[in-house]
Amino acid sequence: MQILIPSDILRRMTSLYPIDSETREAKPLDGLWEFKIDVAGRGLTEHWERSPLRDASPMPVPSSYNDLSTGAADRDHVGDVWYQRGFFVPASWQGDQISLRFGSVTHHASVWLNGAHVGDHRGGFLPFELDVTTNVRFGQANHVTVRVDNTLNWTSLPPGEISEQPDPTHPAGKRLKQNYHFDFFNYAGIHRPAYLVRKPKQHIRDITVTTGRDGSVGRVRYEIDTSVPPSSASVSLYDEQGRVVASATGRAGELNVPDVKLWRPGKAYLYELQANVVFEDGANDTYRLPIGVRTVEVRGNQFLINGEPFYFRGFGKHEDADLRGRGMDHVTNVRDFNLLKWIGANSFRTSHYPYSEEIMRLADREGIVIIDEVPAVGMFLFGGHPPNTPVFCDDRVNDKTLAHHLDVMRDLIARDKNHPCVVMWSVANEANTSEDAAVPYFTRVADETRRMDPTRPIAIVTFRPADRAKVEHLFDVIGVNRYKAWYENPGELDTIGPDLERDLRQFHELFGKPILVAEFGADTIHGFHSEPPTMFSEEYQAEYLRRSAAVFDRLDFVIGEHVWNFADFATKQGVTRVMGNRKGIFTRQRQPKMAAHVLRERWTKLKK
Ligand code: GCB
């Protein structure tokens, strides 16, 4: 059976990745922009968008701005920063639709073109596109200004809290302090590629594809969404040799692909769906979408891809690198995918926020399976609050947070629905699911996510004890995070075997669902050695993994092991963080620690 994602939910301008085609152009706006930190918060009232930024410095796009300056105040700034640049719009573009598109701006953006406000966006990890056709000057210079706000509050994802601190060095005598309950540095800036996009006035707005298979015949259902109803529409499917293997006419329909080559983990096969649309006035639009034919399903204790049991071997990751912070970087991405293949991994979770479209496209191509997560992280109060302070209540995670959470789920599904690499949505990481008020909240999130995409299983990643986990039953797969012999019983490697097994069995007994061990790991300083193994040494991490793996191998309901973390990454400063989180199997510079060889030995031989 084929199910399409309801199109009312997906009518968003942002979903199609910007490409060149015979009817479209995507002009990169990456490079050096003018940049200024709004220390006193005056930019908006002084209308910085109206003139060239004064005393600006150069800032690369895409990149985080935090690690490029030598000043702690710049790195730790809370509030607005401003970006500006000029560009030229060819006169020949007149008559087309012109838009500005950002892969992501973290966390919130306001955009002006030639001094006129053209739009705002909330949320730091998804794309947005603004129609600027009436604002651009054709055949002339233009300038774009972006205000980037990095603040987090209880209605944002991830959530955070702002407090004020006296500071005599600050122009206002006080400064803002950002608190948050998640374990990665709050990088900010224009993090992903920016484009000036030209497409026909009447155009393809979106394409939705779902796939299935009957024996050797692949079924590809498609639906094309256009800005106005077209007079005709057609699609052709090309194989990797560029041969047409199926075609159809109409805005929606089904293609049959004889002798289909499936998209398989580790063995990706991508077809290209070419959509052509002609409008009443004779104008036309063409878009090419890479697609893979595959199925996913949870059945009993198993996770099936193409009807075959799939065991997740891989990591929780981060978009994080030296200097660039969370800025999209092809160099890091290609190295990471090569390391994933080297170590025998087949999957990762986009912990704890949606990753760049460039990474998703790479995963499609390289056959790496992805669990796609939204930035619902930090919905638990770690330390500093009296015990039992609620999270799900009017003052913290509330109805507004829920509304935004649902918006982000919808936008993520709109962006990533056509990626064969995405096999499951993860709706949250380590929320306080022991609270009664978490139940209606996550019931809504689970119901809406299933409604928006009936084709993929959904998961939640939890760290609560099984007998106090009140919402986990709502999901198809439960991701469990456990740090035995680390946060629990530090240094006692012998506890891993019995404790981890007991804990995972309890989850399965209570919920009867497949369990993914979504996080387990130990901080390890590259170059520290100790025999017998001691915490932070390479030997400890290696032994920790061996003992954990022995547990997974005894439990048939465990559908995968995602080690925390792929690489060392930046966090806020604190006494438990030695220049960041060191649970990486690779260093932040992407070189293996000893444990990488242990995993490689296991994963390249694992018969599961
Ligand atoms: C967790 C979190 C992850 C942290 C990790 C740690 O449970 O999900 O974001 O980085 O623990 O290392 O403490």
Side-chain angles (χ1 to χ4, degrees), residues 307-361:
E308 291 164 15
F310 178 75
Y311 186 78
F312 292 82
R313 309 183 303 259
F315 301 94
K317 272 184 110 277
H318 266 297
E319 287 183 311
D320 173 277
D322 279 337
L323 303 177
R324 291 163 176 79
R326 225 173 290 306
M328 200 292 293
D329 177 35
H330 287 301
V331 173
T332 308
N333 294 348
V334 169
R335 172 72 178 173
D336 283 5
F337 275 75
N338 287 338
L339 290 175
L340 288 167
K341 285 190 273 179
W342 173 84
I343 206 167
N346 59 13
S347 55
F348 63 82
R349 172 169 62 119
T350 68
S351 42
H352 294 305
Y353 39 80
Y355 291 1
S356 70
E357 291 157 291
E358 290 74 16
I359 289 181
M360 307 308 284
R361 290 167 79 92

Side-chain angles (χ1 to χ4, degrees), residues 82-93:
W82 291 68
Y83 286 74
Q84 205 170 59
R85 69 164 277 166
F87 57 87
F88 200 82
V89 181
S92 60
W93 284 18

Side-chain angles (χ1 to χ4, degrees), residues 217-336:
V217 181
R219 311 265 186 221
V220 176
R221 264 195 68 71
Y222 71 92
E223 191 178 324
I224 304 170
D225 175 33
T226 49
S227 55
V228 292
S231 57
S232 73
S234 62
V235 296
S236 299
L237 195 68
Y238 292 81
D239 69 10
E240 286 187 353
Q241 274 67 50
R243 290 177 301 228
V244 177
V245 293
S247 48
T249 55
R251 233 180 32 75
E254 185 174 291
L255 298 168
N256 295 326
V257 190
D259 293 323
V260 67
K261 294 207 177 58
L262 295 176
W263 187 95
R264 295 179 192 280
K267 231 176 159 195
Y269 191 93
L270 291 180
Y271 292 93
E272 186 180 84
L273 184 93
Q274 183 181 321
N276 297 295
V277 168
V278 181
F279 296 95
E280 242 138 56
D281 59 1
N284 68 306
D285 191 15
T286 301
Y287 191 90
R288 293 183 181 79
L289 182 74
I291 66 153
V293 180
R294 58 109 189 89
T295 62
V296 287
E297 191 189 339
V298 169
R299 199 188 299 154
N301 281 345
Q302 293 185 316
F303 195 95
L304 306 179
I305 300 184
N306 299 324
E308 291 164 15
F310 178 75
Y311 186 78
F312 292 82
R313 309 183 303 259
F315 301 94
K317 272 184 110 277
H318 266 297
E319 287 183 311
D320 173 277
D322 279 337
L323 303 177
R324 291 163 176 79
R326 225 173 290 306
M328 200 292 293
D329 177 35
H330 287 301
V331 173
T332 308
N333 294 348
V334 169
R335 172 72 178 173
D336 283 5

